[in-house]
Amino acid sequence: MNALVHRQTAGPREAARWNRGRILANNLRSVAGRAYPRIAGLAREPSWVFFEILLPFLTTSSFVFVYRALAAPPEYVGFVVLGGAMSAFWINVIWMMAAQLYWERDQGNLELYFAAPMDLMSVLFGMAIGGLVMSSTRGAVVLVIATLLYGVTFSVAQWALLLAVFVLTLAALYGLGMVLASLFLMWGREAWHLTQLLQEPVYFVSGLNFPVGRLGFLGAMAIATLPLAVGLDAMRQLAFAGSAVTLGTPTPEVEALILVAMTIVFLVAARFALRTLERLARREGRLVTRWR
Amino acid sequence: MTEAGPTPPAVETRGLERIYRIKPRPVTALAGVDVRVEPGEFFGLLGPNGAGKTTLIKILTTLLLPTSGSARVFGFDVVSETKQIRRIMNMVAGGEQSGYGILTTREQLWMFSQFYGLGTREGWRRVDELVELVGLTEQREQRVSTLSTGQRQKLNVARGLLNDPWILFLDEPTLGLDVGAARAVRELMTAWRAAVPGRTILLTTHYMAEADELCERIAIVDRGRILAIGTPAELKRRVQRESIFRLEVDRLAAGARALAPLPGVVSAVPASEADTGREAAGRGTVAITLVLRDDAALGGVVGALGELGARIVALRKSEPTLEDVFVELVGRGFEDEAEGDGARPPMPGAEPAAPGPSHTTHPHEPGEPSDEPLAT
Ligand SMILES: Nc1ncnc2c1ncn2[C@@H]1O[C@H](COP(=O)(O)OP(=O)(O)OP(=O)(O)O)[C@@H](O)[C@H]1O
Ligand SMILES: [Mg+2]
């Protein structure tokens, strides 16, 4: 074979027939293919990463100082540090995942992605994984530095559950991001501005910087709807086992189940939103086209 | 479904219509297109801006739904069998911007290879082959954001070949390229198609010469309709019965249209840039493409020019080009859209005298304001 003929197929009808294995492989590779630019970009623009880490770290630090000045229970410092680390993922979901398809359209990629054989869900997964790698570095750095600097002591009794809750929190968070990505493309900039506006209130009800149980009914609502709130609460209960301040919310086991439910709901919704998006785009002749 | 029997047509549309429902009025981009492209053909869609070429390509590449009618690609329906079509086609548009500026040429192509179903390592091998084929070896590790327009387009072409498509849709692939780069792209396309029997290319272009050189068959499209289909030779034969002259005069205040009403004149339009228009403009003269019923009508034109105060600088009889075919079919030149034409007016904005629905307006759309009475 040469450059003009790479894979010789018997004919167009045969070439269009892919078995399940081929379809699966195509989608898995598409995930990796889309994650690649994210990860390559991370290595190529290190200065940007610096700011991404420094800014949330400063926010976290300011809360630490406030709690110390107020002589709050020592666990609070740990809570804030954990919240600061997890905020990396939330910021990534809101600022990048949600605006992703919008941005891809302006890059001129979206039509090509629609016209390629893979499922667009795979591209979204790829973006999520790329974003995850990026945010994980950030979250880990904040966690390690703040823990050492402010002398946080963790007491973990159930490591496996903690890990599971962490993974589930990310799954639910990025699932939500995948839903938002399609919604933003359909509703345009207004939706994006709305989320920016909601960022601080969401931080607040998620209990990023204090235990969400303190919020009473509002906290309960947050636990039922916001992956960050429920995930963070469960992780705090697990990372600071036996601490009295985490009382007033469901057990971590229950919260893990809530996260599982959220993940499923968000992934189904994301798929549905993508289908709707594609249908609308093909019917209206815009949405996915650059400049329209 | 069994695969018995011959390969279905590469493209087959029946009564294909596409209306964009936009403000202030719906736009009819395709007004009933019937076209059949055989496997292995190099097929061209030739037409002016807004003719509906890109719309047709978008429908065939599953990016857009038909409003009515049907379209199939190698027998697969564009509405319901999108996945199958996406596995065997690819598309490249002129001026296409895609991918991520932060990636290098190789990386970007590799990323797309993964979307198109190539293996991880197979993808890198394929990318290296194509980078060499399109002549981007020197730029292989260069960031995409730093490529020139021509290099960028080579990258797009390489992307289009990654998955060995059975049908390749090219939407003005040489747009904005210099002569050398455009030729390179054309030669590559020709060689690529010839390498495997059955590989099909559907090309849209404004460049008559490009269509003439590359395409085995051409459909001339205007206002969402196909006006004629045939080989370039067949199409030109349609206007052979008339005499075509390239006329250059020192000045002509009233423009080419002043000649249109003269007896025996089929049409008189300014020569296109590609033809003799550019050189004439350089010399400060006026170049006109004159189609006469027969040579005898020339005497009258020459006389009239004298009366109009124009002196003939050059006059030659010419073989018909695709542009002449277009002028004959549409009644206006390819590049004088805005000007209209003296010979057979559809004035821009007005309802055309020709039968069939209008290109841009659809006055009786329910719910849309219309200044015409609905009873008509
Ligand atoms: N997404 C869209 N929404 C509304 N109208 C559209 C859209 N795309 C195209 N049109 C309209 O449909 C008609 C046909 O457009 P199309 O892009 O198919 O033409 P074309 O032949 O490709 O022209 P060009 O040579 O300029 O590329 C035009 O009148 C155009 O304004
Ligand atoms: Mg076009």
Side-chain angles (χ1 to χ4, degrees):
Chain A
M1 298 289 99
N2 56 43
L4 289 173
V5 189
H6 175 67
R7 258 195 206 179
Q8 177 97 56
T9 46
R13 301 286 303 183
E14 292 74 14
R17 213 184 304 123
W18 288 15
N19 59 24
R20 270 163 209 264
R22 178 120 194 245
I23 294 171
L24 182 68
N26 173 224
N27 280 295
L28 290 177
R29 290 187 193 118
S30 298
V31 174
R34 181 57 192 87
Y36 183 85
R38 247 311 136 64
I39 295 165
L42 187 71
R44 263 162 229 185
E45 317 256 276
S47 60
W48 183 69
V49 177
F50 173 75
F51 284 106
E52 290 268 301
I53 291 172
L54 191 68
L55 294 180
F57 181 72
L58 290 179
T59 320
T60 303
S61 300
S62 68
F63 273 96
V64 170
F65 291 126
V66 169
Y67 284 142
R68 280 190 177 165
L70 293 175
E75 293 96 321
Y76 270 69
V77 173
F79 287 3
V80 169
V81 169
L82 202 58
M86 291 305 287
S87 76
F89 298 102
W90 177 249
I91 289 174
N92 184 248
V93 163
I94 285 301
W95 284 92
M96 303 202 71
M97 273 308 285
Q100 193 72 48
L101 291 179
Y102 200 90
W103 180 75
E104 295 281 359
R105 175 184 62 187
D106 288 350
Q107 292 284 300
N109 290 331
L110 210 49
E111 285 205 322
L112 288 177
Y113 289 175
F114 270 112
M118 80 293 184
D119 200 306
L120 215 58
M121 277 294 269
S122 305
V123 172
L124 276 181
F125 272 126
M127 293 164 185
I129 287 180
L132 257 174
V133 170
M134 199 166 80
S135 312
S136 300
T137 3
R138 197 168 102 172
V141 170
V142 171
L143 189 67
V144 169
I145 296 183
T147 301
L148 294 178
L149 213 59
Y150 305 124
V152 179
T153 37
F154 296 95
S155 82
V156 182
Q158 297 164 279
W159 275 106
L161 188 57
L162 177 60
L163 186 73
V165 165
F166 174 68
V167 171
L168 281 171
T169 306
L170 295 187
L173 260 180
Y174 280 84
L176 174 63
M178 287 162 72
V179 180
L180 291 178
S182 296
L183 294 187
F184 279 17
L185 193 62
M186 285 188 260
W187 291 334
R189 271 193 202 287
E190 295 77 16
W192 200 60
H193 288 316
L194 186 69
T195 333
Q196 302 314 307
L197 219 64
L198 285 178
Q199 179 163 322
E200 285 302 322
V202 166
Y203 276 179
F204 179 71
V205 297
S206 296
L208 209 55
N209 298 308
F210 56 86
V212 73
R214 302 275 134 185
L215 286 178
F217 177 71
L218 202 59
M221 285 299 292
I223 284 182
T225 53
L226 294 171
L228 188 62
V230 58
L232 202 51
D233 190 64
M235 285 168 68
R236 281 172 177 158
Q237 294 190 48
L238 291 163
F240 305 96
S243 160
V245 270
T246 51
L247 294 178
T249 51
T251 63
E253 286 82 0
V254 171
E255 290 186 326
L257 286 179
I258 296 178
L259 284 169
V260 170
M262 279 181 174
T263 305
I264 294 171
V265 168
F266 289 144
L267 287 183
V268 170
R271 196 175 170 76
F272 176 76
L274 265 184
R275 290 277 150 91
T276 310
L277 176 71
E278 180 170 2
R279 210 185 56 236
L280 278 179
R282 293 176 77 204
R283 202 176 66 202
E284 308 290 329
R286 46 185 185 88
L287 280 178
V288 301
T289 312
R290 207 173 164 220
W291 307 131
R292 283 203 209 271
Chain B
M1 212 168 94
T2 57
E3 296 294 335
T7 313
V11 170
E12 190 175 32
T13 74
R14 295 223 176 112
L16 193 63
E17 269 196 335
R18 172 69 212 200
I19 298 166
Y20 292 105
R21 306 210 173 273
I22 51 162
K23 301 249 158 5
R25 294 185 168 192
V27 173
T28 302
L30 296 177
V33 168
D34 295 275
V35 67
R36 188 183 155 109
V37 178
E38 296 306 327
E41 261 192 307
F42 204 133
F43 191 91
L45 289 172
L46 189 57
N49 293 132
K53 305 181 295 292
T54 301
T55 301
L56 179 55
I57 287 203
K58 285 203 175 164
I59 289 177
L60 295 174
T61 52
T62 73
L63 290 173
L64 200 61
L65 289 175
T67 305
S68 65
S70 70
R72 292 181 169 270
V73 174
F74 283 113
F76 296 115
D77 183 66
V78 295
V79 177
S80 58
E81 292 173 298
T82 53
K83 283 278 179 248
Q84 283 85 344
I85 296 176
R86 290 170 188 181
R87 287 170 193 157
I88 54 168
M89 65 96 179
N90 213 322
M91 55 182 194
V92 178
E96 169 188 312
Q97 296 287 334
S98 56
Y100 306 96
I102 200 164
L103 296 181
T104 66
T105 300
R106 283 181 80 237
E107 288 172 328
Q108 167 135 325
L109 285 172
W110 177 79
M111 181 186 79
F112 277 105
S113 79
Q114 302 304 289
F115 297 155
Y116 296 146
L118 276 73
T120 312
R121 249 166 305 170
E122 180 193 15
W124 286 115
R125 276 199 309 274
R126 178 77 181 129
V127 165
D128 286 331
E129 283 174 356
L130 284 173
V131 159
E132 204 185 310
L133 181 72
V134 301
L136 282 176
T137 313
E138 259 176 66
Q139 289 77 30
R140 57 209 286 275
E141 300 294 352
Q142 197 172 318
R143 282 202 196 175
V144 171
S145 55
T146 63
L147 296 180
S148 75
T149 311
Q151 291 164 349
R152 175 79 233 199
Q153 193 59 2
K154 287 178 181 174
L155 174 69
N156 295 335
V157 168
R159 181 190 55 66
L161 303 184
L162 275 168
N163 60 334
D164 287 90
W166 279 97
I167 182 161
L168 184 58
F169 295 94
L170 300 171
D171 196 359
E172 299 177 40
T174 57
L175 191 76
L177 300 188
D178 70 27
V179 180
R183 188 187 306 125
V185 167
R186 285 199 292 267
E187 282 170 2
L188 180 57
M189 291 300 91
T190 308
W192 176 81
R193 186 191 60 119
V196 175
R199 270 187 184 167
T200 311
I201 295 183
L202 196 146
L203 167 97
T204 83
T205 181
H206 298 162
Y207 305 128
M208 307 275 183
E210 184 167 283
D212 203 348
E213 177 194 328
L214 292 177
C215 301
E216 294 164 321
R217 281 199 310 144
I218 292 170
I220 294 187
V221 202
D222 186 40
R223 307 184 175 222
R225 294 179 173 278
I226 292 188
L227 303 179
I229 298 190
T231 64
E234 280 166 3
L235 291 172
K236 288 179 209 164
R237 229 174 285 136
R238 296 172 65 114
V239 289
Q240 199 86 72
R241 59 200 153 76
E242 287 151 348
S243 305
I244 296 164
F245 291 90
R246 310 280 160 207
L247 174 66
E248 203 176 324
V249 295
D250 59 349
R251 63 173 178 274
L252 191 58
R257 74 182 78 177
L259 304 177
L262 296 174
V265 175
V266 175
S267 71
V269 296
S272 72
E273 294 251 311
D275 201 338
T276 48
R278 194 193 302 267
E279 297 124 61
R283 285 193 290 269
T285 58
V286 182
I288 296 166
T289 299
L290 194 63
V291 181
L292 303 179
R293 196 140 301 143
D294 52 50
D295 291 358
L298 191 61
V301 174
V302 172
L305 280 171
E307 279 163 35
L308 288 166
R311 199 169 52 81
I312 295 173
V313 179
L315 175 68
R316 89 189 135 80
K317 185 159 184 188
S318 74
E319 289 306 305
T321 63
L322 285 174
E323 175 155 17
D324 302 320
V325 180
F326 186 85
V327 170
E328 149 101 4
L329 284 167
V330 187
R332 63 191 154 88
F334 212 68
E335 284 158 19
D336 55 6
E337 189 95 346
E339 211 181 276
D341 173 60
R344 251 169 284 170
M347 288 294 287
E351 290 288 333
S358 146
H359 165 57
T360 46
T361 62
H362 210 253
H364 304 315
E365 207 48 47
E368 288 292 329
S370 162
D371 31 35
E372 288 177 53
L374 282 168
T376 54

